């Protein structure tokens, strides 16, 4: 891999910004749902994702969209999306952009 870990992380997060939460209409990065991304030497990417609510019926749709977005990055060979619930998501995790778009102060 010729890219630095930091530039690869940026590339992954940029791809994840194309994944839109179907209920809120804002991408999962700006919503603060991505708790971490890692890419190892073998091209395995792990995405730690939380959801706004524990019983969210959209988990499968969002996971499928993450796979779709990341398979465009040639350095990524395999993808694992891990749902995490700690720390619990709250509106404070949203970017300023997301809060403005949703009318939250």
């Amino acid at each position: 891999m010729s890219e630095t870990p930091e530039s690869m992380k940026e590339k992954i997060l940029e791809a994840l910004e194309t994944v839109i939460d179907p209920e809120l209409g804002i991408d999962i990065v700006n919503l603060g749902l991505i708790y971490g991304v890692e890419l190892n030497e073998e091209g395995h990417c792990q995405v730690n994702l939380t959801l706004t609510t524990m019983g969210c019926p959209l988990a499968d749709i969002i996971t499928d969209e993450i796979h779709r977005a990341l398979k465009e990055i040639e350095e990524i060979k395999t993808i694992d999306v891990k749902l995490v619930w700690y720390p619990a998501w709250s509106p404070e995790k949203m970017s300023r952009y997301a809060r403005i778009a949703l009318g939250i102060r």
Side-chain angles (χ1 to χ4, degrees), residues 25-51:
I26 294 175
D27 70 87
I28 60 176
V29 174
N30 278 294
L31 283 174
L33 300 180
I34 300 298
Y35 280 10
V37 294
E38 292 174 26
L39 181 65
N40 70 16
E41 305 280 324
E42 291 79 45
H44 177 75
C45 181
Q46 179 171 315
V47 177
N48 292 339
L49 166 79
T50 195
L51 298 170

Side-chain angles (χ1 to χ4, degrees), residues 33 50-60 83-89:
L33 300 180
T50 195
L51 298 170
T52 54
T53 58
M54 227 166 181
C56 180
L58 301 170
D60 291 342
L83 275 177
V84 292
W85 300 108
Y86 186 81
W89 181 86

Side-chain angles (χ1 to χ4, degrees), residues 6 14 36 98:
E6 292 78 27
E14 269 179 37

Side-chain angles (χ1 to χ4, degrees), residues 20-21 23-27 30-31 91 94-105:
I20 306 299
D21 180 295
E23 281 186 323
L24 299 173
I26 294 175
D27 70 87
N30 278 294
L31 283 174
M94 291 191 290
S95 71
R96 184 170 178 271
Y97 159 79
R99 285 198 298 274
I100 290 170
L102 293 173
I104 298 171
R105 294 184 182 267

